[in-house]
Amino acid sequence: MTRRRPPLLTAGMLAAPIWILLAAAQAATRTGFDLTRHPISMLSLGDLGWIQVSSFLVTGVLTLCGAAGMRRTGLDGVWGPRLLGLQGLGLIVAGVFPADPGFAFPPGTPDVPGTMSSVGAVHLAGACVSFLAMITCCFVLSRRFGGTSWAVAGRAGGVLLAVGLCWGMSGAPGGPLAMFAGVVAAWSWIAVTMSTLEKAVRA
């Protein structure tokens, strides 16, 4: 009989596709939102902001579940679960404390950089913790695959997110889009890797 995947791991693997698909759908449909100018976090603002807030909170909890699942099944020792847990906590903080408005979003906001509030500062801190944990997790998990192409893909995902984060923080044109692309690359790799490592443990 084939053993079923632990529910906690399944929850953790679902976090990436849920967050990515919801973010992409909103970016394409929200009035006034421009992914080349506005980071995904700003989708937490406005009348439909509850969607992105819920996305942060739900995927944060799912990521914490994934971290617990990794720890219970012994996947990637100590640091893999810890880093995934930090990523989940950062997502929850980003959901509880929304980003500041600016650059004409939500519609009606002046088309200038927003002034950072204390709430916005906490949001930024949570997001940075999540991003940095995700980047480090790519490199930590990739060690399990030696010099294979999959290991190279993991390191590439981490680098892409690091570059996107620096680009976005610099305020350069297209920074939010680069950051989103980095998140897609890194988080998707982590989700698939969790499944791959879990299958190896079951074998």
Side-chain angles (χ1 to χ4, degrees):
M1 179 181 296
T2 302
R3 196 172 69 186
R4 297 180 62 184
R5 176 179 291 132
L8 287 174
L9 280 176
T10 300
M13 294 170 201
L14 289 174
I18 290 174
W19 191 92
I20 292 168
L21 290 174
L22 278 176
Q26 291 180 87
T29 59
R30 288 283 299 272
T31 302
F33 188 85
D34 181 355
L35 190 51
T36 65
R37 301 187 67 205
H38 306 128
I40 292 297
S41 289
M42 292 181 72
L43 288 169
S44 297
L45 306 171
D47 293 340
L48 296 176
W50 62 270
I51 299 175
Q52 186 57 37
V53 170
S54 299
S55 176
F56 278 131
L57 296 176
V58 170
T59 58
V61 171
L62 290 175
T63 302
L64 287 175
C65 289
M70 286 183 71
R71 182 176 59 81
R72 289 185 181 182
T73 53
L75 296 182
D76 209 64
V78 173
W79 282 107
R82 285 180 178 176
L83 290 167
L84 204 62
L86 279 176
Q87 180 187 336
L89 287 174
L91 287 166
I92 292 172
V93 170
V96 174
F97 299 91
D100 292 314
F103 296 109
F105 190 84
T109 302
D111 194 2
V112 294
T115 301
M116 184 171 290
S117 65
S118 57
V119 171
V122 176
H123 173 89
L124 180 61
C128 285
V129 167
S130 189
F131 286 142
L132 293 174
M134 201 183 305
I135 291 167
T136 308
C137 195
C138 284
F139 285 93
V140 169
L141 294 180
S142 66
R143 294 182 306 179
R144 296 290 293 267
F145 300 93
T148 64
S149 59
W150 189 246
V152 173
R155 297 183 190 108
V159 170
L160 283 173
L161 179 51
V163 170
L165 180 60
C166 292
W167 191 346
M169 292 295 185
S170 72
L177 179 58
M179 193 183 305
F180 178 66
V183 170
V184 171
W187 205 351
S188 297
W189 185 88
I190 290 171
V192 176
T193 296
M194 289 173 65
S195 177
T196 301
L197 293 175
E198 190 270 339
K199 288 177 182 177
V201 169
R202 286 194 294 163

